Amino acid sequence: MKKIVLVSLILRNFKGMREFVLDTGSDSVSVFGDNATGKTTLFDGFVWALFGKDSQNRTDFEIKGLDELGLVAEHGLQHEVEAVLMVDRRRRSFKKVFAEKWTRKRGQATSDFSGHTTDYYVDGVPVKQGQYKAEVDGLISEDIFKLLTSPSYFNDVLKPDARRKVLLEVCGEMTDAEIIAGNKQLAPLADILGDRSLEDHRKVIAARRTEINKELEKIPVRIDEARRSMPDVSDLDGELLQEDIDTLRGRIDAKVAELQRIQSGGELSAKELRLREISAELIDIKQRVQAGGMQAVNDHRERMFQLGGEASGLKSQIAAGQREIEQYKRQVTRAENQAARLREEWHSANELAFSGEHQHDGNCPSCGQALPADQVQAAHEKALEDFNLNKSRRLERISSDGKAAAEEARKLKHSMFDQEESLNNLEKQLTVKQKEISEAEATLQRLSTQVADPGEDPEYQAKKQEANAVREEIEQLNFAASDAISKVQSEIRLFRSQVDELEADKAKLTTVVTTEKRITELAEQERKLAAEYEQLEHELYLTEEFTRTKVSMLESKINRKFKYARFRLFEEQVNGGLKDVCKTMYNGVPYEGGLNNAARINVGLDIINTLGEHYGFSAPIFVDNAEAVTQLIDTDAQVIRLVVSENDKKLRLEHNDIQEAI
């Protein structure tokens, strides 16, 4: 087991304590002092030096000393705590220094408060905060350390869920299979759960029970609604209804056949056929009477269509020619402008004369010495020759380009004149074509007026009179059949109305059958749901019995780990369910209600003993209000008793039967 012993604890300006050295000599000691003399401050300093919190697990407590008004009594102090430990025969020291930071800005006579600083030392060596924390964590984790250094931490600081977690960690969780094996009643539960956890299955049961209850509440209402919706069919017989329907439908078919015979009478059909024949004969006579004149009209109309197409072609050619002439004009303008520009350029170049700037300066370009007169004259003649040659070449080039531009302009004008002549010919052709179209239109008008009128033909007139006579005969026959048709149609409507009424009665019978079937289905669904609900109730009982068995086995297993402390992890509710709790008891008395201070401290020590054995760790135990206990239970850890003593106005240390005033 890893053991940590507090060798000494040194406090300076910590929570109003100017300076104090707790020197234990690695023994268990008792610290005596009146109230407000600083006993709890020792424990606060020890925890703060290691973890930055006080003994109540707070990080925001006041480290500086305060005056009567609750204000900082004195600024500019260093607040120090150093804990010297013996860790498995190795001496270690952890020191923390908390101080105000004052900064004087340039040009100011006084310093301004700008925050706090904290310095860290491990075994006397300054370190960073991260390294300091790592060194402390290397001894033991903060949570376990606090559990093992204060008898009240487990019961007063930890919440019930955290206490349960610690206890279950100490005794070890029990598997569902172990619990089921411990109670024969629970044997079916293994198959019921399958791969699902107990809690998940309880959630499934609760959700399904809620669904079933909702369905069971709805089913009687649905059955009642179905029964109230059923029509009264006590005086109806399905077979008789069907016989009556079949009889009426037979009568309807007979009347429909009768109506068709009336509407398709033989004489009326013959008259209508004759009327269609006369109409065809009238068309033939009209075509024969107008045949000659219409042929001439059609032929001339075809001629007009041809002339119109030819005129459109000429117009398209004229438009294209006009566009081409405009393009020639633009090209001629460009060529003439270029020729004019080149003429001006030729005259400018021709006017250039050899000047002094083209003469040689009479000095050698390499050494700068004056050249002989014959060399100067030769250089001058050479420069003049080069000038005349370049001028001649430039004038020749400009003259050649100018002639080419003038020639191009001439050719373009010639092509444009040819195009204009062609365009004039096309416009003359279009004028002739338009005149031909006008003449053809006049001829078509004349021919159209010469087409014969079939109404003046004697044969056509006779056929028209015959057609009118046949129409009158058809109207008389229709009027005579109208009364008979109306009577038959009225009888058909009456029979169909009677069939509809019988079909409605027959539908009532079908509705009753369907509704009764639905009521039977609902009743069967209700029976199945009730059976399923009973099964769920049984499964819920098994899960609750499982929990009770688990409670009994788990509490027994946990309590066997402790000598004095006992724990209750569950409470049964009024509705029979179980609630997770974590209550500590001693001799049946709850820790949080009725247990005296002495018992509370010894129960805390009992918990520390068990936890220390589980974690394989021993740490100094600070027992506050130790005067309440006449005899602490045995423990292997170092114990530092903080005892209220009215007579000790200053802290007094006692160990190994030796008293020492401090």
Side-chain angles (χ1 to χ4, degrees), residues 18-36:
R18 180 65 68 179
E19 185 168 0
F20 185 82
V21 179
L22 175 62
D23 189 358
T24 69
S26 301
D27 297 329
S28 294
V29 298
S30 297
V31 180
F32 297 87
D34 197 3
N35 290 327

Side-chain angles (χ1 to χ4, degrees), residues 321-477:
Q322 290 173 341
R323 289 194 297 271
E324 190 171 353
I325 288 172
E326 291 299 323
Q327 184 176 4
Y328 278 135
K329 288 179 180 180
R330 291 193 295 271
Q331 292 175 346
V332 168
T333 300
R334 283 197 298 270
E336 288 178 342
N337 289 339
Q338 184 179 6
R341 180 182 59 78
L342 290 171
R343 280 195 298 273
E344 292 177 359
E345 184 179 352
W346 188 91
H347 287 300
S348 297
N350 188 47
E351 290 174 357
L352 289 176
F354 185 75
S355 60
E357 64 181 7
H358 300 94
Q359 297 179 7
H360 198 276
D361 60 1
N363 295 323
C364 178
S366 299
C367 62
Q369 295 181 0
L371 295 172
D374 57 341
Q375 291 186 8
V376 172
Q377 180 62 32
H380 175 74
E381 292 176 355
K382 182 65 170 63
L384 177 60
E385 182 182 354
D386 290 342
F387 173 79
N388 290 331
L389 179 61
N390 290 334
K391 178 179 178 181
S392 174
R393 288 175 178 174
R394 182 181 179 190
L395 291 175
E396 183 179 355
R397 177 182 58 78
I398 295 173
S399 177
S400 177
D401 292 344
K403 291 177 180 179
E407 179 62 21
E408 183 181 4
R410 186 188 65 78
K411 291 180 178 179
L412 289 171
K413 287 180 179 179
H414 182 73
S415 298
M416 182 176 67
F417 293 151
D418 291 344
Q419 184 63 35
E420 287 176 345
E421 184 177 355
S422 176
L423 187 61
N424 289 333
N425 292 332
L426 290 173
E427 288 175 345
K428 291 177 181 178
Q429 294 177 26
L430 178 61
T431 301
V432 173
K433 194 64 64 178
Q434 289 174 338
K435 182 178 180 182
E436 291 178 1
I437 292 173
S438 297
E439 293 173 351
E441 288 177 348
T443 302
L444 179 62
Q445 183 65 28
R446 179 177 54 78
L447 291 174
S448 297
T449 57
Q450 293 176 358
V451 176
D453 183 5
E456 297 177 358
D457 185 79
E459 185 180 2
Y460 188 86
Q461 293 175 356
K463 289 295 179 182
K464 288 282 288 185
Q465 292 174 0
E466 184 181 357
N468 292 332
V470 173
R471 286 193 187 95
E472 290 178 0
E473 291 173 357
I474 290 174
E475 288 178 3
Q476 291 175 0
L477 291 173

Side-chain angles (χ1 to χ4, degrees), residues 49 249 307 393 466 501 561 573 599 639 647:
R249 283 178 174 167
L307 291 173
R393 288 175 178 174
E466 184 181 357
E501 292 177 359
K561 295 280 186 178
Q573 305 296 293
V639 178
N647 296 327

Side-chain angles (χ1 to χ4, degrees), residues 27-315:
D27 297 329
S28 294
V29 298
S30 297
V31 180
F32 297 87
D34 197 3
N35 290 327
T37 55
K39 298 183 301 299
T40 305
T41 299
L42 298 178
F43 192 16
D44 289 339
F46 179 58
V47 178
W48 180 76
L50 296 177
F51 305 110
K53 301 176 182 177
D54 67 0
S55 58
Q56 298 302 312
N57 208 37
R58 297 173 301 187
T59 58
D60 57 350
F61 71 99
E62 185 57 67
I63 294 176
K64 304 174 184 179
L66 305 177
D67 59 18
E68 295 80 1
L69 299 177
L71 302 175
V72 176
E74 186 177 359
H75 290 284
L77 300 177
Q78 288 189 332
H79 311 276
E80 304 178 13
V81 177
E82 181 178 6
V84 181
L85 308 175
M86 187 64 70
V87 183
D88 290 342
R89 299 181 181 180
R90 180 189 173 191
R91 188 182 183 90
R92 303 294 307 277
S93 71
F94 295 89
K95 178 180 176 182
K96 189 181 293 185
V97 180
F98 179 78
E100 295 175 348
K101 184 179 180 181
W102 294 82
T103 305
R104 185 171 63 187
K105 296 181 180 179
R106 180 178 297 177
Q108 291 184 350
T110 59
S111 299
D112 294 330
F113 174 71
S114 59
H116 295 92
T117 61
T118 304
D119 296 326
Y120 303 88
Y121 301 86
V122 176
D123 298 332
V125 179
V127 296
K128 299 292 185 182
Q129 180 183 5
Q131 184 179 350
Y132 187 89
K133 185 177 184 303
E135 291 286 348
V136 174
D137 292 343
L139 299 178
I140 189 172
S141 71
E142 179 181 347
D143 293 337
I144 296 176
F145 190 86
K146 291 177 180 177
L147 282 171
L148 302 181
T149 56
S150 172
S152 62
Y153 187 84
F154 179 85
N155 291 299
D156 292 340
V157 179
L158 289 186
K159 294 182 179 180
D161 288 343
R163 296 200 294 269
R164 284 174 59 88
K165 183 178 179 181
V166 171
L167 292 175
L168 292 175
E169 182 183 346
V170 171
C171 75
E173 275 280 13
M174 300 184 68
T175 65
D176 292 350
E178 290 175 337
I179 297 169
I180 292 174
N183 186 340
K184 293 182 179 179
Q185 257 188 308
L186 302 177
L189 194 57
D191 293 334
I192 292 173
L193 293 178
D195 296 332
R196 190 180 292 156
S197 69
L198 184 79
E199 287 305 316
D200 287 344
H201 191 64
R202 286 175 64 87
K203 293 177 183 177
V204 171
I205 291 174
R208 183 56 185 156
R209 286 175 70 211
T210 301
E211 292 176 3
I212 291 175
N213 276 328
K214 290 180 181 178
E215 290 298 320
L216 289 175
E217 290 174 0
K218 294 176 182 177
I219 287 176
V221 177
R222 292 172 180 169
I223 291 176
D224 182 61
E225 290 176 349
R227 284 176 175 160
R228 286 189 284 107
S229 67
M230 284 196 302
D232 183 12
V233 294
S234 57
D235 58 345
L236 298 179
D237 185 306
E239 293 182 358
L240 293 178
L241 285 173
Q242 189 59 50
E243 290 178 2
D244 291 344
I245 290 171
D246 293 341
T247 299
L248 287 171
R249 283 178 174 167
R251 293 176 181 176
I252 290 172
D253 292 340
K255 288 297 178 181
V256 169
E258 182 181 352
L259 180 62
Q260 290 175 346
R261 284 195 302 273
I262 294 172
Q263 291 175 336
S264 61
E267 186 178 358
L268 181 61
S269 299
K271 294 296 182 183
E272 290 175 345
L273 176 60
R274 178 54 188 157
L275 183 60
R276 289 193 293 272
E277 291 174 349
I278 293 172
S279 297
E281 291 171 357
L282 285 171
I283 293 172
D284 291 340
I285 294 170
K286 181 179 179 180
Q287 291 176 348
R288 176 169 49 79
V289 170
Q290 295 180 341
M294 287 303 297
Q295 183 63 41
V297 169
N298 290 334
D299 291 344
H300 212 72
R301 186 177 285 114
E302 181 66 25
R303 171 62 180 162
M304 281 190 62
F305 179 77
Q306 180 181 353
L307 291 173
E310 293 174 355
S312 296
L314 290 172
K315 289 178 181 179

Side-chain angles (χ1 to χ4, degrees), residues 494-520:
L494 176 61
F495 291 152
R496 285 177 175 169
S497 175
Q498 292 174 349
V499 168
D500 290 341
E501 292 177 359
L502 294 175
E503 288 286 3
D505 288 339
K506 184 180 175 183
K508 292 179 182 178
L509 293 174
T510 303
T511 300
V512 169
V513 173
T514 303
T515 304
E516 288 177 345
K517 181 180 178 182
R518 177 57 180 160
I519 291 173
T520 302

